[in-house]
Amino acid sequence: MCGIIAYVGERDAYPIIDKGILRLEYRGYDSSGIGLLKADGTMNIYKKKGKYKELDKLVRGKDLNGNVGIGHIRWATHGEVSDQNAHPHVSDDGNIAVIHNGIIENYHSLRTELIKRDHQFVSGTDTEVLANLFSDIRKKNQLPLEECVRIGLQEVIGAYAIVVISKEEPNKLVAAKLSSSMLIGYGEDGYFVASDPAPLIEYTRKVTYLEDNQIAILEKDKDIIIKSITDNTPYTPYIEELKHNLEDLEKGGFDHFMLKEIFEQPRALYDSIRGRTDFENFKITLGGVKEYENAFKQAKRLIFVAC
Ligand code: GLU
């Protein structure tokens, strides 16, 4: 399972993202990445395959300033494990960066459409389509970032928890979710976004869990805005108190990590197939396979390969 941590506020974002990624490591991952944004619009992206210590080595001596930061640990679903495929993914104009947990089921058709509109792709991931999709909308309409994200997501089929930043709005985080977990933390000097509570608990216990189909706009010194992705209906954030301590969170309330992992198996299986499964209608959709449907139907033999 992959993980997200993001921050916007008064503090330097890097130490929060750095520590946050370490708190998320227990989830398992194959690569990691960080995006930092400064008030003057400078955006620095660092990403690396392998353990987080590889990224840690890479960033030594680099520019780690900025009050806005996004961090991600990836568990590849689309595209090999490589530096290029690690998150954040940046739009081809360099303006928008996205981190994403989940699967964009219709990424292939979105990508084809965006290539027709002269967008360039440099990764093999489904996530990169989001960055170019949002930037495409931005270029045509000059809308605020959150509107570009909201309109773009209406074209997206799949499962996602995303955080988006833009050089053009350097004090802002936009977060959205569907079928992947995401929560917002309220600190004394800024907002946090994370895929689970572990990276937040040392900064705040006041959190709001985003619901499916909601988008949140988080800006330094402004009230949080939560709206519906479909029709912009505003929601009053429901703020709750995290009661757990860090160790409980990391062990999920179990006495031992091994027990936790055993009891997590149904959830892990569910998470693995949820982006491809319509549980209400008992229908499976395998992205990338659809165009070969007829060939499959006529096949005399199917060989399943797994690891
Ligand atoms: N589907 C995305 C990828 O392969 C995100 C995977 C994840 O959830 O870490 O990069």
Side-chain angles (χ1 to χ4, degrees), residues 153 160 175-178 182 208-216 226-230 235:
L153 287 178
Y160 53 80
K177 88 143 206 132
L178 181 68
M182 177 162 260
T208 292
Y209 282 87
L210 271 194
E211 306 269 332
D212 274 352
N213 216 22
Q214 286 185 341
I215 183 166
I226 299 183
K227 302 192 292 187
S228 143
I229 293 173
T230 335
Y235 295 98

Side-chain angles (χ1 to χ4, degrees), residues 262-300:
I262 291 168
F263 280 93
E264 270 178 1
Q265 285 174 10
R267 179 79 213 174
L269 270 176
Y270 173 83
D271 282 346
S272 313
I273 61 172
R274 68 177 175 210
R276 301 183 160 109
T277 312
D278 172 353
F279 289 98
E280 273 167 29
N281 300 306
F282 299 104
K283 210 171 156 243
I284 309 279
T285 309
L286 297 176
V289 167
K290 191 104 188 95
E291 55 196 289
Y292 306 106
E293 195 173 331
N294 283 333
F296 277 115
K297 282 182 179 157
Q298 284 157 31
K300 299 209 166 40

Side-chain angles (χ1 to χ4, degrees), residues 18-53:
D18 173 53
K19 211 178 223 182
I21 290 182
L22 290 168
R23 295 272 183 243
L24 288 166
E25 272 196 306
Y26 76 96
R27 297 167 70 99
Y29 62 102
D30 55 47
S31 25
S32 55
I34 292 177
L36 297 166
L37 191 54
K38 295 197 229 178
D40 65 2
T42 312
M43 186 157 74
N44 287 306
I45 303 287
Y46 307 106
K47 48 193 200 170
K48 194 82 191 144
K49 75 170 179 183
K51 286 287 160 205
Y52 182 56
K53 63 174 191 296

Side-chain angles (χ1 to χ4, degrees), residues 2-3 72-79 85 87 89 100-104 125-127:
C2 35
H72 186 261
I73 52 173
R74 175 179 190 230
W75 193 293
T77 64
H78 292 60
N85 286 345
H87 300 211
H89 288 283
H100 163 224
N101 286 355
I103 293 168
I104 306 303
T125 66
D126 49 342
T127 304

